Amino acid sequence: MRALVYNGPKDVSVVDVPDAEIEAPTDAVVKITTTNICGSDLHMYEGRTDVEQGKVLGHENMGVVEEVGPGVTRLKKGDRVSLPFNIACGHCRNCTQGKTAFCLEVNPGSAGGAYGYADMGPYSGGQAEYLRVPFADFNALRLPGGTEHENDFTMLSDIFPTGWHGTRLAGLQPGESVAIMGAGPVGLMAALSARIQGADQIYVVDMQPDRLRLAEQVGATPVDFSKGSAEEQIMEATKGVGVDRGVEAVGWQAHDHSGDEHPAGTLDTLVEVVRATGGIGVVGVFPPADPNGPDPDMQEGRLRFPFGQFFFKGQSMGTGQCNTKAYNRQLRDLIIAGKADPGFIVSHELSLEDAASGYEHFDNREDGWTKVLLHP
Ligand code: NAD
Ligand code: ZN
């Protein structure tokens, strides 16, 4: 089958690889209809991880069940499904408590499993014609058949639940205000989630005009940090009071396109603008220290963080990968009910064969390249 593989920093290509197959009785094989390029893929693409050469990438997958193993009882060939980016066993201590991002079985000794990702287990990704899905009955979310809402449903595998998770980690309540760092796909999904949850004021910080326009489209107030400090702009807009909640949706970046070499600045800003006792949700990915890794800063694994100010203000912070299964069913039903349209961020739909150019444009954050979908 055809699949996109990692060759080295800024080098991916679509090649022939062995077909995805049933390897365990509880597996299914899914024929991919849509698979997205994610900001998380850029951590690998830009060479910030130790992902192995030849790995098939892609963790934002949906499609139609092609084959099921003898231990699969609920899913059937022909079912249209969304596949959470987390691979989870469903019965370990974390999974039984809904913490499927931190399954203790699928990637022992590490923190959870995922398709096509560095350090997240030996699982191939779905930027391919077919995908092997472990523990398929547990992991797959069934969707209505046909092709309706494809561009909305494809956000259920990761970024819509992840944006939602950011607001839940922050403890957002109806009527509250929130500042979201980053208007990438995840930040925009956090803004959409905040609006659906009844937030009052939503501020979205970025410097890319096209992305800030999309933030405005979901009812948020854009804050352009290239035109002055985000902190000052938010404090002025809130008459010096600050916001109730903050969401970090940028994560570790080699450079943040502002010339500031300290991406942890996003956390400094949130500690500053969130009111005393307010909450901060961090869904942007900050990888653990890797003494042998390619990024010298991450070899220390330390970030600048204004802990004294955070302590003094009595703030709280939630972090981590999204437990996709905790939210994807309800978010699917909001889409079906016409109450959520996460597909509004889709900017490009490419064939799988053109995936490498999709990576290049998205990585350069070229004007208008907000979210790229691949159709094998
Ligand atoms: P992206 O890289 O497309 O978006 C990041 C945005 O942040 C860009 O628009 C960029 O211009 C902006 N930015 C950069 N520096 C900034 C700064 N200092 N202040 C404000 N904005 C700044 O990526 P994405 O797909 O939106 O993903 C965002 C983050 O979320 C990544 O770190 C990704 O790995 C992570 N992520 C986490 C999970 C999870 O489960 N926790 C899931 C998916 C993605
Ligand atoms: Zn993703």
Side-chain angles (χ1 to χ4, degrees):
M1 65 174 186
R2 303 289 284 167
L4 177 119
V5 297
Y6 176 80
N7 302 315
K10 304 223 176 180
D11 182 5
V12 291
S13 57
V14 175
V15 299
D16 288 318
V17 302
D19 287 347
E21 284 179 344
I22 303 283
E23 293 175 22
T26 49
D27 286 355
V29 169
V30 168
K31 184 177 179 25
I32 298 298
T33 54
T34 303
T35 174
N36 319 329
I37 302 178
C38 177
S40 294
D41 291 323
L42 302 182
H43 298 296
M44 295 180 289
Y45 182 74
E46 293 182 4
R48 284 197 291 280
T49 70
D50 56 3
V51 67
E52 62 267 36
Q53 275 185 8
K55 181 119 180 167
V56 178
L57 305 186
H59 59 270
E60 299 192 359
N61 306 308
M62 68 178 288
V64 175
V65 176
E66 175 77 10
E67 190 186 351
V68 296
V72 174
T73 56
R74 198 177 53 88
L75 275 191
K76 308 242 161 353
K77 180 176 162 78
D79 283 348
R80 185 185 186 208
V81 290
S82 166
L83 303 165
F85 74 95
N86 328 103
I87 299 172
C89 74
H91 52 71
C92 72
R93 189 172 179 150
N94 280 343
C95 281
T96 51
Q97 294 183 4
K99 312 281 189 208
T100 51
F102 305 94
C103 174
L104 299 166
E105 284 281 319
V106 295
N107 186 16
S110 190
Y115 301 100
Y117 212 81
D119 303 319
M120 301 289 282
Y123 306 101
S124 254
Q127 289 168 3
E129 290 178 278
Y130 295 91
L131 176 69
R132 172 192 162 224
V133 178
F135 304 106
D137 272 337
F138 181 71
N139 286 304
L141 173 73
R142 266 195 286 218
L143 302 170
T147 56
E148 208 190 348
H149 287 307
E150 184 87 2
N151 291 5
D152 293 314
F153 287 146
T154 195
M155 304 307 167
L156 291 172
S157 55
D158 180 349
I159 61 168
F160 191 18
T162 294
W164 194 276
H165 189 51
T167 63
R168 298 324 313 140
L169 289 173
L172 179 71
Q173 298 295 321
E176 289 191 330
S177 56
V178 59
I180 298 166
M181 300 304 292
V186 172
L188 291 168
M189 289 296 106
L192 173 65
S193 300
R195 196 198 69 203
I196 293 171
Q197 291 168 42
D200 172 19
Q201 281 296 316
I202 305 168
Y203 300 93
V204 176
V205 180
D206 206 300
M207 63 172 293
Q208 284 194 238
D210 55 323
R211 293 181 171 198
L212 289 171
R213 269 196 300 279
L214 288 172
E216 233 174 333
Q217 207 175 303
V218 288
T221 304
V223 176
D224 184 341
F225 73 85
S226 72
K227 300 205 168 124
S229 118
E231 195 180 304
E232 280 169 27
Q233 294 183 63
I234 292 171
M235 292 315 280
E236 195 182 316
T238 58
K239 301 188 170 57
V241 176
V243 289
D244 299 300
R245 311 284 157 184
V247 175
E248 207 288 350
V250 179
W252 182 260
Q253 312 236 342
H255 51 95
D256 67 2
H257 304 266
S258 69
D260 178 358
E261 288 296 323
H262 296 282
T266 53
L267 296 174
D268 297 57
T269 303
L270 289 177
V271 170
E272 233 19 83
V273 301
V274 171
R275 67 163 158 83
T277 77
I280 298 171
V282 182
V283 287
V285 166
F286 293 83
D290 177 2
N292 306 312
D295 183 336
D297 293 330
M298 279 319 291
Q299 288 168 12
E300 289 254 331
R302 289 165 196 271
L303 297 169
R304 274 192 313 140
F305 179 70
F307 186 76
Q309 179 75 340
F310 176 72
F311 171 86
F312 196 69
K313 292 179 84 172
Q315 294 167 332
S316 55
M317 182 180 281
T319 60
Q321 303 272 2
C322 174
N323 304 303
T324 308
K325 268 182 71 81
Y327 313 105
N328 65 358
R329 187 174 299 267
Q330 295 98 304
L331 299 184
R332 172 198 67 188
D333 293 345
L334 283 177
I335 292 169
I336 293 170
K339 293 182 173 163
D341 58 344
F344 81 93
I345 64 167
V346 173
S347 59
H348 294 81
E349 295 183 66
L350 307 179
S351 85
L352 177 67
E353 295 298 324
D354 295 329
S357 94
Y359 266 84
E360 194 182 334
H361 292 293
F362 180 58
D363 181 55
N364 290 335
R365 296 195 176 71
E366 283 168 32
D367 193 40
W369 285 78
T370 315
K371 188 71 181 174
V372 183
L373 310 191
L374 306 172
H375 301 297

